[in-house]
């Protein structure tokens, strides 16, 4: 089992930045693909970004490409999402996600573990 705990959400004005963190406990997190999804009110949960255990293989949804950066620190069992140039449409609950091995994780059904979520609100 892997437990994921997110932090770093909050309220920010459009154009601002936030950094989300997700710390894992349980099994060896360094062998997992880790990433982020988000869910806005009334919408389905959608993929944001993921990164392989080696730190490579970063993949982003087109809506955040060039603005968000995903990274991880396996020594700290933590994955980060640096969000810059935030827009009101980025407002959502952001969920940390993980699956074992090196594998794509662009769909919710591929996720093995979820965090509880952290709210990000971007005001216009």
């Amino acid at each position: 089992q892997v437990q994921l705990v997110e932090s770093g959400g909050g309220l920010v004005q459009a154009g601002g930045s936030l950094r989300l963190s997700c710390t894992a406990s349980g099994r060896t997190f360094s062998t997992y693909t880790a990433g982020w999804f988000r869910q806005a009110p009334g919408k389905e949960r959608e993929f944001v970004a993921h990164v392989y255990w080696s730190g490579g293989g970063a993949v982003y949804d087109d809506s955040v490409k060039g603005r968000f950066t995903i990274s991880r620190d396996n020594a700290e069992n933590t994955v980060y999402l640096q969000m810059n140039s935030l827009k009101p449409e980025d407002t959502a609950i952001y969920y940390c996600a993980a699956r074992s091995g090196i594998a794509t994780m662009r769909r919710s059904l591929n996720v093995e573990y979820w965090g509880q979520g952290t709210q990000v609100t971007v005001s216009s």
Side-chain angles (χ1 to χ4, degrees), residues 38-56:
R38 66 186 180 185
Q39 188 167 17
K43 295 188 177 181
E44 293 187 354
R45 193 170 297 189
E46 63 178 15
F47 169 76
V48 175
H50 75 60
V51 62
Y52 297 144
W53 66 268
S54 61

Side-chain angles (χ1 to χ4, degrees), residues 28-36 47 49-60 70-74 78-80 97-106 110:
T28 306
F29 187 58
S30 60
T31 62
Y32 285 72
T33 294
W36 297 87
F47 169 76
H50 75 60
V51 62
Y52 297 144
W53 66 268
S54 61
V59 177
Y60 300 91
I70 189 170
S71 61
R72 66 189 295 166
D73 183 340
N74 288 333
T78 301
V79 62
Y80 303 98
R99 67 170 300 179
S100 57
I102 298 176
T104 186
M105 195 174 64
R106 298 190 67 118
N110 297 136

